[in-house]
Amino acid sequence: MARRTIIAGNWKMNLLPDQAESLVMSLVAVTENKPDLEVVVFPPTALIPYAGEWVSGSSLQFGAQNCWHELSGAFTGETSPELLRALGCGYCLVGHSERREIFGESNDLIGLKTRALIQMKITPIICVGESLDEREAGTHLEKIKSQVESVFDAVEMSSWLRLVFAYEPIWAIGTGKTATPDQAEEIHRHIRDLIRERAGEALSEGISILYGGSAKPSNAAELLGKENIDGLLVGGASLKAEDFSNIISVF
Ligand code: PEP
């Protein structure tokens, strides 16, 4: 089965409604006539209700940056995956390193969120990645293994083809320092090997793995040229219409 190719833009806590709308408008044309590519923007939660109108009639998709793992109840300030589904989100980021580090999200919580999203038929993009200290200590492969396996433990194997992983080395996020294509490819292969060990060849070859961490127009083509890199999760450059369009135009 062919893997999905995805270019995702994580806007984080940026943009006001008119700024977001004009960014979407400038992306609509560049996403046309690319049937093998999915382009997804991730606005702040409060802009999600507008996003459906902004992208309507185009092939641009949108998702949420985070959600809770219960569908409703007394969870003040949280967002239900059921509500995200009702608002038209096709995707949700899970376990971004900012969620893990600033908000203390654990592997177990991320597994629960992933399971809830699968239940709501929203594609989870699960972010994994190591810190600079972990890379320098040589523990990065183990770190990523524990992050990936906690998702496997939480989700029935029959749904694994609906998972998307994003390898995002923390030392490359927002720093301007990109993992080299070879460094990224090594980790993507590692994740694919972990899937193969648990679930066999077909699932291993079918699950998309994106790279994120200072992706930009000047390095996008080389990263995307690697066998196991199926797309990009873009932060800073996704806020600039020209840069994000140039990344999309690599296809
Ligand atoms: C991110 O936050 O997911 C990200 C990849 O950010 P940046 O592209 O700015 O490094």
Side-chain angles (χ1 to χ4, degrees):
M1 183 188 155
R3 300 199 285 266
R4 300 153 78 171
T5 307
I6 301 167
I7 301 289
N10 174 13
W11 293 351
K12 311 194 186 191
M13 199 178 74
N14 293 299
L15 303 180
L16 297 175
D18 53 342
Q19 297 168 320
E21 182 175 9
S22 73
L23 181 52
V24 166
M25 292 311 144
S26 60
L27 297 175
V28 162
V30 79
T31 58
E32 295 309 309
N33 303 317
K34 297 191 190 303
D36 298 329
L37 175 66
E38 296 179 52
V39 181
V40 192
V41 292
F42 293 84
T45 308
L47 295 184
I48 287 173
Y50 304 97
E53 278 176 41
W54 295 338
V55 304
S56 116
S58 80
S59 51
L60 195 59
Q61 301 180 63
F62 64 95
Q65 298 173 14
N66 181 37
C67 69
W68 190 237
H69 64 88
E70 301 274 1
L71 302 189
S72 64
F75 303 102
T76 302
E78 288 294 342
T79 308
S80 155
E82 191 172 23
L83 175 59
L84 294 179
R85 177 76 265 166
L87 294 174
C89 288
Y91 290 81
C92 185
L93 302 181
V94 200
H96 189 282
S97 60
E98 288 152 18
R99 299 290 326 166
R100 293 180 189 263
E101 300 222 316
I102 303 171
F103 301 99
E105 293 195 1
S106 66
N107 280 344
D108 286 348
L109 179 63
I110 288 156
L112 291 172
K113 289 184 178 194
T114 305
R115 188 162 68 193
L117 288 163
I118 293 283
Q119 191 190 341
M120 281 296 112
K121 304 205 178 331
I122 295 174
T123 300
I125 299 183
I126 306 119
C127 305
V128 300
E130 80 284 3
S131 66
L132 190 56
D133 284 352
E134 288 160 341
R135 178 160 279 264
E136 286 174 351
T139 56
H140 53 299
L141 297 182
E142 271 312 303
K143 167 80 177 283
I144 287 157
K145 182 173 184 200
S146 68
Q147 292 177 326
V148 168
E149 294 206 325
S150 61
V151 171
F152 294 161
D153 291 341
V155 177
E156 295 271 346
M157 202 180 281
S158 58
S159 300
W160 284 16
L161 268 184
R162 311 234 314 274
L163 303 175
V164 174
F165 286 96
Y167 169 54
E168 297 209 305
I170 298 170
W171 48 271
I173 294 180
T175 58
K177 248 193 224 170
T178 318
T180 65
D182 286 341
Q183 279 175 323
E185 172 68 6
E186 184 201 0
I187 304 295
H188 284 230
R189 189 175 290 281
H190 173 60
I191 295 172
R192 221 172 278 299
D193 287 346
L194 292 170
I195 305 169
R196 185 177 293 106
E197 280 160 26
R198 283 277 286 252
E201 188 71 15
L203 276 173
S204 163
E205 289 302 316
I207 294 178
S208 293
I209 308 172
L210 317 183
Y211 169 79
S214 297
K216 44 189 174 264
S218 58
N219 58 25
E222 214 188 336
L223 287 161
L224 291 165
K226 290 290 176 187
E227 188 185 335
N228 288 293
I229 300 183
D230 305 308
L232 299 173
L233 177 51
V234 185
S238 74
L239 293 166
K240 297 178 198 140
E242 193 182 344
D243 283 358
F244 200 46
S245 299
N246 285 337
I247 292 172
I248 296 164
S249 299
V250 168
F251 289 89

